[in-house]
Structures are given as C-alpha cells and as structure tokens.
Amino acid sequence: MGKKFEENLKGLRILWKYLSVYRRELTLLSVLGVFSAIANGSVPYVTGKFLDAILVSHTVFEGSVFAMPLWVLLLAVWGAAQLVAIGTDWKNDRMARRIEVKIFIDYYANAQSVLLHLPLWFHKNAKSGDVSSTINRAANSLDSIVGQVVIILAPQFLSIIIGMMFAFFMNPFLGTILLSGILIYVILLFRMIPQATPFQINMHKGYRSSFAEIGEVSSNILSVKQFGSEAYHHKRIVQKFGQALKFGVLINNIWSNVGFSQRTIVVTTQVIIFILSVYLIQASAMTIGELLAFNGYAALVFGPFVILGRNWQTLQNGLVALEAAEKILEEKPEDYAPVNAVKNFDFQGAIKFDNVSFGYKKSQKVLDGISFETKPGEMVALVGESGAGKSTLIDLISGYYFPTAGRVTIDGHSTRKINLGFLRKNIAIVPQEVALFHDTVKMNIAYGSFGAKSTAIKEAAKVAHADQFIEGFPKKYDQVVGERGVKLSVGQKQRIAIARAVLRDPKILILDEPTSALDSETEKYVTEALNTVMAGRTTFVIAHRLSTVRRADKILVLEKGKIAEAGTHDELMQIEGGNYRRRYELHVGLV
C-alpha cells in the first residue's frame, strides 16, 4: 500500500508541476467555483422551504407595499440562486475550456522542444514510435485530467461542503447518516483503486511496445513490401496489443466492481434517510420540504463522488502516463552554452585530436588513443572497416559526443568549451543517405540557413549542379519532394544536400561518401560540385571507394578504434603489406 501511495504521490507532484504554471487562471476558476458552490448548494434548501411555504400559507412583509406570500419570495430567491449558478457556471466553463486547450498545447509543444534538445545518443538509442506514443498519451492524459477532474470536479466538491453545512443545519442526525455514507464510499474507493495501479503500468508498457513496433514498421515500409512481411508484422502488432488488452480487461473488472459498490452505498444511504425521514415527519420533527431538500443534498454530495469514481481511472491512467513521459523529459539536454564557453572566435577549421579515446559504454572503447591534426583547408580521408570508429570520430568534431580521455580542439579551443550552436553553424555535412523534409525544394536547400534569399538559394543549386533537374520540375523550386525526399532520385537528393552545404558556407565540410550509390554520369556532376564546395574548407571524407581519396592531404586508416596508418596516398602505397595498400589494390582489382 505504501509503495502504491508513493507512486500516486509522485504522479500528483508531476501533475502539479504542470498545473502550477497556471496558478492565476486556476485561482480565478476556484473563486468562480465558490460562487457556483454557494448558489448550487442553497438550491435544495430553498426548494424545500418553497414546498413547505405552499403547504402552509404565510405572508411576509405584511402591512407594507411589499407584502407577498412566502412562497413568492422563496421562488424569487430560488430563481436568483439559479441565475447566479447558471451564469457563474457558464463563465467558469468558458474559461476552463480555454485553459484546458492551452495546457494541452503548452505541454505537447514544450515536450517536443525538450526532445529536440536531447543529445544525439538519446535519439540513436530510443525507438521513435515508443517516445512519440509516450508523449502523446501523456499530453492526452493531462488534457483529460484537467478537463474531467480538476475543472469539472473541483467546483462540485466545493458544493459538497456547502451542501453538508445545509444538511447539518437542517438535521444533524440525518446529516451524520449522509456523511457516514460518503466516508464508507471514500474508504472503499481508496481500498479498491490501488489494485489497478500495477495493471495500468503494465498496460502502458504494452501500448508503448505496440506503438514502437508500429513506428518501426512504418519507417521501414519499403523493406516490408520487398520481403512480403505484412502478415508477419500484423501478427506481431496484434500480439503486442494483446498484452495491453489483457491488463486493460483486469483494470475494467476493478472499475466495474467500484461502480457496483458505489451504487449500492448510495442507494443504501438514501433508503436509510427515507425510512428515518418517515418517522421524523410522523413525529412532526421534519417537514416534507426538508425531506425534499435532504434528498437533493444526497444527490448533491454523492454526485461528485460518483463522477470521481468514474473519472478516477482517467486520473490514475493519466498519472501513470505523465510519470512515464517524465522519465524521458527529465533526461539531461545538451549543454549548448557551457560555463565560460567561447563563441564568435575567428573560426578557421584547424582541428586537433590529442590522444583521444571514447566509448559509448565504460567497458568498450570505440576510439583508442587517436592523435592527429589538420590545418585549415586540408582534406582528410578516413578509411577502415565498418565499426572501426570513422563515424564516431566525425561525431566528436561536431560535439555530439565528447572524449572520455584526451581533447578535441578546433582552432585551439576544446569542443567542450565551444558554444555548440556556433560550432555546428560552421560545419556542414553531406551524408551518404540524405534525409529531406516533406517540403519544397527551396525549403530543403535553405534548411539550416533559414531566411536565405531566393537568389542565394538558386546560386547554391547552380554550384551543386542541382538547377538542371530543379528547373525541369513543374513547380521548380516550389516542388514538394515528398517524405524524406521520396520523389527524388538518390543523385538528386545528394545534389540538394550539396546545395544546402554551399548555402551554409561552412568552414568544416564532412562528406560521408556521397558518391558511393551513384551511376557514373550522376557521379560526375556530384564530384564536380563537391570539388567546388571543398575548395578552401577543412574537409573530412569517410571513404568507402578509395578512388575518391587519392588527392587527400592526409589519409587516416582506422583499425579497431586506432590509427593503424596515416599519410598521403603515395606514402601509404609504399608500405609493404599495409592496410591501405591492400585495400586499394583489392578495390582497383574489382573496378
């Protein structure tokens, strides 16, 4: 019980973290709720007195111009109370709906901002479908909690206090019976509800796993089609949702029991009040109007608890969802501006690795004792088998990761102490697999150089030899390229990426063998474009086709995270039995 209570308490703290931002709006809602509670709470009492006034004739303000039957005055008071209640509730509802939408949008937008600022390692390790599902469920849950529990139930619970005050004022004995029924119901509710918590946690895990599977399948739909794996993935998705369904059924059984119990307690309490009221009325200790009022207060005080019983699942599910999302949102973001970070220095692109080691895990080194340096404008080629550490070395230059030992410096400044925004602004990457946005050609070229003028975009496209095919599109630069650039060929996407790099005008250029998947004619255009872009820039080339690195100023051959050989093409070809020479001769033999 203690553990479950702690879990609920943790969820409530997270909920308050997001609600506390709207203290002012929620305070105003609470004030309006007080007026609504007083107005709604007085209605059953006035209704009872109104009925008694009809049965027993009585005149008020007798002997004055305002003389009238008591029931007329009470009807006026009843009408005024109803008008106040209706008007206050209307204002409350409009404000509540606005806050509800605002909280949902703010949470979702802020969550996406947090995700964007998380380090690259998080995105490489996380399943996008899982993360997206977790955030979506949390945002929807927060929306439901605010709308169904906080905004709707809070004013009604204020009405309970007013209602109980009237009930005890009219008849303390029956008021005690009513209060006892409520306490029994609350105790039962809090005994039964914690049973659902572990099932809800497992249900959420099932949903996360299911949506992670869906996200992975969607992102690899071409492979699914190529291998005819639709039935296989459908079966896996059904199985994963089946796990969530199993726990969902168990949860619904608990809530079904809660519903049965609450109706039993409500009916039992009302029957007891009716039976006792008969004796009290016969003994002239209670009027018919007071019985009517008491029946109204029974509905008034039990109503919110009945709603709470129905909505507790919403609250409980929501707290579990918020807690799951919070584990993601509490991840430490990238430190874009470290303490005493250098920014806006004369960026030239001189890079030095000083005995650098790095491992994603402490027990595993991906890079081990890497040392080399480049001058501004030099071309460095990285050669080695897959897994040798080439991509990791490049990631250290961009500050996606930092050495576990040694230093990486750019123009004498450690990457740990360079403002990351400034650093990455001076780096452009042309990857092997270009990912474009589902937007226009113009936007994709200008990505990262937002606000660039159309003339500059077209000039960059011309340098990249991309203008030739762009001008052939029906909408030219306003042509939409499709998701991930699916409407373009590999060569076209490569030239868009090169145009993007040209427009960025970086000091450091990183090329992940952008010509490896191209036909000879397209490769000619891309190579010419790259030669133009590389001029005067420090360039790192991850080389798979060794024919592209012959003119590099420095070639680094990596083996198991270490530099096995370093030098120019001619120097490395002089090493008998050398790694580079063996690779090059094998490559030439295959051409």
Side-chain angles (χ1 to χ4, degrees), residues 307-360:
I307 297 173
L308 176 63
R310 290 199 299 264
N311 287 343
W312 191 272
Q313 187 174 5
T314 298
L315 176 62
Q316 194 72 38
N317 270 330
L319 295 181
V320 172
L322 284 170
E323 191 173 343
E326 201 66 12
K327 291 178 182 177
I328 297 173
L329 301 180
E330 285 181 342
E331 289 283 357
K332 187 177 180 182
E334 281 194 285
D335 189 4
Y336 288 86
V339 178
N340 300 321
V342 290
K343 184 179 180 181
N344 297 330
F345 59 85
D346 185 18
F347 202 109
Q348 296 297 315
I351 299 172
K352 182 178 181 180
F353 275 59
D354 185 7
N355 197 27
V356 169
S357 294
F358 174 80
Y360 297 102

Side-chain angles (χ1 to χ4, degrees), residues 37-49 77-78 81-82 85 166 293 297:
I38 293 173
N40 286 307
S42 64
V43 168
Y45 179 80
V46 175
T47 302
K49 290 298 182 183
V77 172
W78 179 87
Q82 291 283 25
F166 274 105
Y297 283 121

Side-chain angles (χ1 to χ4, degrees), residues 210-227:
S210 302
F211 283 108
E213 179 75 12
I214 291 172
E216 191 167 0
V217 171
S218 298
S219 61
N220 292 285
I221 191 64
L222 181 59
S223 296
V224 173
K225 295 292 184 183
Q226 288 173 339
F227 290 92

Side-chain angles (χ1 to χ4, degrees), residues 40 85 157 163 202 208 229 255 277 360 380 417 491 504 573:
N40 286 307
F157 275 102
N202 285 315
R208 288 175 60 185
S229 304
W255 289 113
S277 297
Y360 297 102
V380 179
K417 290 297 182 180
R504 194 170 181 80
M573 290 298 292

Side-chain angles (χ1 to χ4, degrees), residues 39-330:
N40 286 307
S42 64
V43 168
Y45 179 80
V46 175
T47 302
K49 290 298 182 183
F50 170 73
L51 178 60
D52 287 339
I54 294 175
L55 298 175
V56 180
S57 180
H58 184 72
T59 303
V60 293
F61 308 123
E62 195 171 355
S64 70
V65 295
F66 299 108
M68 66 182 77
L70 177 59
W71 67 265
V72 174
L73 177 62
L74 290 171
L75 181 61
V77 172
W78 179 87
Q82 291 283 25
L83 286 175
V84 171
I86 292 171
T88 305
D89 289 344
W90 171 76
K91 180 66 176 177
N92 208 331
D93 182 65
R94 289 192 62 177
M95 185 181 298
R97 290 177 185 275
R98 186 167 63 249
I99 293 173
E100 184 181 347
V101 173
K102 191 174 188 305
I103 288 176
F104 172 82
I105 292 174
D106 287 350
Y107 177 86
Y108 199 86
N110 290 334
Q112 296 304 316
S113 177
V114 169
L115 293 177
L116 288 171
H117 287 82
L118 290 181
L120 185 62
W121 65 260
F122 172 86
H123 296 283
K124 284 187 174 182
N125 293 328
K127 289 187 176 181
S128 59
D130 185 1
V131 172
S132 176
S133 169
T134 301
I135 298 300
N136 285 342
R137 290 179 70 82
N140 288 321
S141 295
L142 183 61
D143 182 33
S144 298
I145 290 173
V146 172
Q148 298 180 32
V149 180
V150 176
I151 290 175
I152 292 177
L153 280 179
Q156 293 190 29
F157 275 102
L158 287 173
S159 298
I160 291 175
I161 298 173
I162 302 298
M164 289 306 302
M165 290 173 61
F166 274 105
F168 273 95
F169 172 74
M170 289 189 298
N171 193 304
F173 178 62
L174 292 182
T176 302
I177 299 295
L178 188 57
L179 181 60
S180 298
I182 293 172
L183 292 176
I184 292 171
Y185 174 66
V186 170
I187 292 170
L188 187 67
L189 197 65
F190 279 92
R191 283 180 65 87
M192 297 179 71
I193 283 173
Q195 298 173 16
T197 303
F199 297 146
Q200 286 165 330
I201 292 173
N202 285 315
M203 184 182 71
H204 275 274
K205 288 181 180 178
Y207 277 123
R208 288 175 60 185
S209 178
S210 302
F211 283 108
E213 179 75 12
I214 291 172
E216 191 167 0
V217 171
S218 298
S219 61
N220 292 285
I221 191 64
L222 181 59
S223 296
V224 173
K225 295 292 184 183
Q226 288 173 339
F227 290 92
S229 304
E230 293 89 343
Y232 168 78
H233 287 293
H234 175 257
K235 183 178 179 180
R236 281 177 59 88
I237 291 169
V238 170
Q239 287 175 340
K240 288 180 178 292
F241 271 114
Q243 291 297 313
L245 175 62
K246 179 178 72 174
F247 290 107
V249 170
L250 293 173
I251 292 168
N252 286 330
N253 288 341
I254 292 174
W255 289 113
S256 178
N257 294 336
V258 169
F260 174 79
S261 301
Q262 74 183 20
R263 291 191 66 181
T264 301
I265 293 171
V266 171
V267 171
T268 302
T269 303
Q270 287 181 319
V271 168
I272 293 172
I273 289 175
F274 276 128
I275 292 173
L276 293 174
S277 297
V278 171
Y279 287 102
L280 291 172
I281 290 171
Q282 289 177 345
S284 300
M286 187 178 189
T287 65
I288 296 294
E290 288 174 337
L291 172 60
L292 178 65
F294 245 100
N295 191 49
Y297 283 121
L300 181 68
V301 298
F302 270 114
F305 283 105
V306 172
I307 297 173
L308 176 63
R310 290 199 299 264
N311 287 343
W312 191 272
Q313 187 174 5
T314 298
L315 176 62
Q316 194 72 38
N317 270 330
L319 295 181
V320 172
L322 284 170
E323 191 173 343
E326 201 66 12
K327 291 178 182 177
I328 297 173
L329 301 180
E330 285 181 342

Side-chain angles (χ1 to χ4, degrees), residues 476-524:
K476 295 183 170 47
Y477 286 84
D478 290 324
Q479 184 76 30
V480 175
V481 302
E483 189 172 1
R484 300 181 66 84
V486 69
K487 296 180 181 180
L488 303 182
S489 69
V490 175
Q492 289 172 334
K493 287 195 286 186
Q494 289 288 5
R495 281 182 272 179
I496 292 290
I498 295 170
R500 183 186 287 173
V502 171
L503 189 63
R504 194 170 181 80
D505 190 23
K507 294 295 183 180
I508 298 174
L509 181 65
I510 296 172
L511 307 176
D512 187 358
E513 194 53 272
T515 63
S516 62
L518 304 181
D519 59 74
S520 56
E521 184 178 354
T522 305
E523 181 180 0
K524 176 178 178 295

Side-chain angles (χ1 to χ4, degrees), residues 362-590:
K362 292 182 179 180
S363 60
Q364 181 183 11
K365 283 187 178 181
V366 179
L367 298 177
D368 187 6
I370 300 293
S371 293
F372 70 89
E373 56 183 302
T374 66
K375 296 177 182 178
E378 282 189 338
M379 176 184 174
V380 179
L382 303 177
V383 177
E385 295 179 352
S386 297
K390 303 185 296 295
S391 296
T392 301
L393 188 150
I394 293 300
D395 286 345
L396 292 181
I397 295 174
S398 297
Y400 299 134
Y401 303 98
F402 299 101
T404 49
R407 297 176 75 222
V408 176
T409 62
I410 298 179
D411 297 326
H413 302 287
S414 170
T415 52
R416 290 182 180 275
K417 290 297 182 180
I418 302 177
N419 180 284
L420 292 182
F422 175 68
L423 171 62
R424 293 170 189 171
K425 183 179 179 181
N426 285 281
I427 298 175
I429 301 174
V430 181
Q432 185 176 3
E433 296 182 8
V434 180
L436 301 181
F437 290 88
H438 186 54
D439 210 318
T440 63
V441 170
K442 180 180 179 181
M443 180 274 171
N444 275 287
I445 294 176
Y447 187 77
S449 303
F450 306 108
K453 295 181 179 180
S454 295
T455 52
I457 293 172
K458 291 180 179 180
E459 182 60 33
K462 186 176 181 180
V463 172
H465 295 286
D467 59 324
Q468 300 170 0
F469 65 83
I470 294 174
E471 291 295 337
F473 290 147
K475 296 183 179 180
K476 295 183 170 47
Y477 286 84
D478 290 324
Q479 184 76 30
V480 175
V481 302
E483 189 172 1
R484 300 181 66 84
V486 69
K487 296 180 181 180
L488 303 182
S489 69
V490 175
Q492 289 172 334
K493 287 195 286 186
Q494 289 288 5
R495 281 182 272 179
I496 292 290
I498 295 170
R500 183 186 287 173
V502 171
L503 189 63
R504 194 170 181 80
D505 190 23
K507 294 295 183 180
I508 298 174
L509 181 65
I510 296 172
L511 307 176
D512 187 358
E513 194 53 272
T515 63
S516 62
L518 304 181
D519 59 74
S520 56
E521 184 178 354
T522 305
E523 181 180 0
K524 176 178 178 295
Y525 288 119
V526 172
T527 301
E528 290 176 359
L530 288 174
N531 289 338
T532 303
V533 177
M534 288 189 293
R537 294 182 172 91
T538 303
T539 304
F540 280 79
V541 179
I542 297 179
H544 302 290
R545 297 169 66 167
L546 300 185
S547 58
T548 63
V549 305
R550 294 188 58 171
R551 64 188 187 86
D553 297 295
K554 187 176 298 178
I555 300 171
L556 303 179
V557 182
L558 297 179
E559 282 187 16
K560 297 180 180 179
K562 296 183 178 181
I563 295 178
E565 298 169 8
T568 63
H569 170 77
D570 292 336
E571 290 170 347
L572 294 181
M573 290 298 292
Q574 297 301 315
I575 303 175
E576 290 289 340
N579 184 306
Y580 179 82
R581 178 172 173 172
R582 176 176 55 81
R583 287 174 177 277
Y584 186 80
E585 289 174 345
L586 178 63
H587 173 75
V588 171
L590 293 173

